[in-house]
Amino acid sequence: MLHAFDLFKTNESRRCFAVLQSLFPGRLVGHSGDSLRTVPATTLQRPCALVHVDGKHSYDNTLRDALNLVPKASPDALFLFDDQCAPTACEARLVTPA
């Protein structure tokens, strides 16, 4: 089961999620809202084996989302961080060092 925590503010994000739900019926759950609130409030039946953290493209949100997801992850879960770079070598624009 895939659990997506997203603001789902844009038509594009809602349409993409709807397409995925149509391709994989019964296998996706969308949690709409601020992940800093929705992640801690959600109880999952199984621990996560894979965690993908976007973190609103800010270091603070990335860190807080990751820390909120650790208790929901299995001990051997793989954590993926999107749009991140090393703080000492970050030259790209619109990315967050983490």
Side-chain angles (χ1 to χ4, degrees):
M1 180 70 66
L2 181 134
H3 288 266
F5 296 89
D6 196 275
L7 294 172
F8 293 110
K9 280 187 170 182
T10 66
N11 287 334
E12 293 82 7
S13 65
R14 289 188 295 271
R15 280 196 308 264
C16 288
F17 192 76
V19 167
L20 288 171
Q21 282 183 315
S22 70
L23 293 170
F24 306 100
R27 296 180 63 191
L28 289 94
V29 176
H31 303 272
S32 183
D34 184 344
S35 59
L36 295 178
R37 291 187 189 96
T38 57
V39 169
T42 300
T43 301
L44 303 176
Q45 289 181 341
R46 290 192 207 163
C48 301
L50 173 65
V51 177
H52 174 240
V53 179
D54 190 335
K56 294 184 190 174
H57 308 285
S58 83
Y59 180 81
D60 182 60
N61 277 73
T62 300
L63 178 62
R64 291 170 63 195
D65 274 343
L67 291 174
N68 285 335
L69 286 160
V70 166
K72 299 182 184 304
S74 64
D76 59 346
L78 178 63
F79 276 70
L80 301 174
F81 295 88
D82 192 359
D83 297 331
Q84 309 303 315
C85 62
T88 58
C90 191
E91 297 173 355
R93 297 181 66 191
L94 300 175
V95 295
T96 303

